[in-house]
Amino acid sequence: MMCTPKRQTSKSRRGNRSGSLRAIALVIVLLVSGIIACKRPAVHSVGRPLIGTLVTLTVLAESHEKAIIASEAAFSEIARIEALMSPVIGGSDIARINKSASGASVIISPETFALISQSKEIWRETGGAFDITFASMSGLWNFSRVPFVPPGPALLNSMKHLVNMANVELDGKKKTVSLKKPGMKTGLGAIAKGYAIRRAMEVLRRYGIENAMVDAGGDLQVIGSKNGEVWMAGLIHPRTKRIIIGIKMRDGEAVATSGDYERYAMYRGVRYHHIIDPSTGEPARHFASVSVIGRDPVEADAFATAIFVMGMEKARELLARRSGLSAILIDADMKVWASRRLAEDLVVLGDVEITWF
Ligand code: FAD
Ligand code: MG
């Protein structure tokens, strides 16, 4: 953007020395004010614990005040979504669904209803790999229990039948959800974080912010640029925890990562983590990390979890069908794979070899 000081005229036409000095002083003042007017927007960054993670908003704004007002509004929006969709806040839509008697219809907010409906579509599209009724078994996987002991096969088998989205009945007119089997539960942990990011970014835009990053525990979306420089997201190695790849993020793009290294526990040398394969009730074993890049943070979030469960072959079929999504996959042997579409956008920072697909 070109930026020049506004031209102003002096009423004085006298050609004496003091007049010239005044004119010079005026020119200097105008130049300085022009420079101030041209000053690049400052980068304001503020973090807050929300939805079980650290949410960091980075916005570019001409004034600190504008940045704070916009960021506060975005944080309030995330808090509002948390109150609707949290698994732990009593009275949230999800808590009410999970407490309901089997077969009972629970009226929920149109927003939660829309996200559960989208979850059902993704469940269909991923052949059941993405299933919000995983939560029926999540009580078996308490990674913070010391000592951690994984549930045995008998217990897993006795509860596996509860994980099946087919048994979640949705009524679009009444906005009701009904769980068909006693003991069933739902959880939006793999999709609502993306929704919170999307809504927070919409709020920032509404407050006139054109350049920003919304980061919820590493899942993020950007708009615009960082004073002309492309936004970068860092991909962490699942074991060394070092950033190994930088991802250049274009205007409006989102990235979400599902990994086996944040919420997990070790038992007899085996890693047990929070991404559950609905067909077994146990942690999925194909990948250590899956990052999905696309324009919608909700899809990026949900498909990162789905692909983690689906494994390489089905993941590649899905990504071939969905041209708006790209992925970086780190398999169980720590081999790194990436969509060819990302060839221009990845900056390798560590000792990493990428196999393109
Ligand atoms: P992702 O890979 O994005 O998702 C993994 C999560 O998805 C699992 O933890 C599980 O919840 C779910 N999941 C597992 N398998 C499947 C499957 N096959 N299909 C579908 N879903 C699956 N955490 C807290 O500790 N305290 C809180 O107060 C808290 N509040 C939250 C409120 C909200 C509204 C949300 C959305 C999450 C909250 N969380 C809370 C959860 C927390 O932030 C999770 O870590 C996060 O949602 C999971 O994101 P992820 O990126 O770690 O993993
Ligand atoms: Mg996710």
Side-chain angles (χ1 to χ4, degrees), residues 175-355:
K175 301 281 182 276
T176 58
V177 175
S178 146
L179 306 180
K180 292 292 157 202
K181 289 193 178 179
M184 273 184 83
K185 292 193 179 358
T186 58
L188 295 176
I191 190 166
K193 196 154 66 146
Y195 183 68
I197 293 171
R198 183 211 275 170
R199 294 294 301 221
M201 190 59 96
E202 283 167 8
V203 169
L204 292 180
R205 280 185 197 271
R206 224 181 298 138
Y207 277 75
I209 303 295
E210 291 170 351
N211 301 284
M213 176 187 274
V214 176
D215 177 339
D219 290 358
L220 56 91
Q221 185 179 26
V222 306
I223 52 168
S225 67
K226 199 174 178 182
N227 274 326
E229 281 172 38
V230 70
W231 291 104
M232 294 287 287
L235 179 71
I236 290 172
H237 188 282
R239 298 294 174 264
T240 66
K241 302 281 182 80
R242 294 217 180 96
I243 297 179
I244 49 168
I245 294 175
I247 308 166
K248 291 182 192 166
M249 301 293 296
R250 313 285 170 191
D251 181 23
E253 272 186 343
V255 58
T257 299
S258 289
D260 69 359
Y261 51 93
E262 293 291 352
R263 290 182 185 225
Y264 75 97
M266 301 297 290
Y267 180 74
R268 295 187 175 164
V270 179
R271 179 181 292 258
Y272 293 87
H273 61 82
H274 66 146
I275 302 167
I276 305 299
D277 181 342
S279 67
T280 63
E282 294 195 79
R285 295 283 173 215
H286 306 287
F287 296 111
S289 169
V290 170
S291 299
V292 171
I293 296 124
R295 298 196 65 78
D296 179 2
V298 177
E299 286 189 351
D301 191 11
F303 281 106
T305 307
I307 286 174
F308 198 106
V309 175
M310 291 165 84
M312 188 66 81
E313 206 178 311
K314 286 184 180 157
R316 285 174 62 168
E317 281 169 22
L318 181 134
L319 289 163
R321 270 199 320 273
R322 284 214 166 230
S323 58
L325 299 178
S326 307
I328 307 169
L329 314 170
I330 304 182
D331 68 19
D333 300 324
M334 299 301 131
K335 191 169 171 197
V336 182
W337 307 72
S339 306
R340 208 168 284 281
R341 290 191 275 271
L342 294 172
E344 303 283 300
D345 294 339
L346 301 191
V347 182
V348 175
L349 303 170
D351 181 19
V352 175
E353 202 183 312
I354 298 176
T355 305

Side-chain angles (χ1 to χ4, degrees), residues 111-123:
E111 271 175 289
T112 311
F113 187 88
L115 213 53
I116 293 178
S117 303
Q118 187 175 357
S119 297
K120 196 157 188 178
E121 280 163 29
I122 297 174
W123 167 74

Side-chain angles (χ1 to χ4, degrees), residues 21-55:
L21 282 176
R22 266 205 305 274
I24 289 167
L26 181 65
V27 168
I28 290 170
V29 168
L30 290 177
L31 279 176
V32 170
S33 62
I35 289 164
I36 290 168
C38 274
K39 211 177 79 175
R40 302 193 314 171
V43 180
H44 305 264
S45 204
V46 51
R48 193 156 300 169
L50 280 165
I51 50 173
T53 190
L54 178 67
V55 179

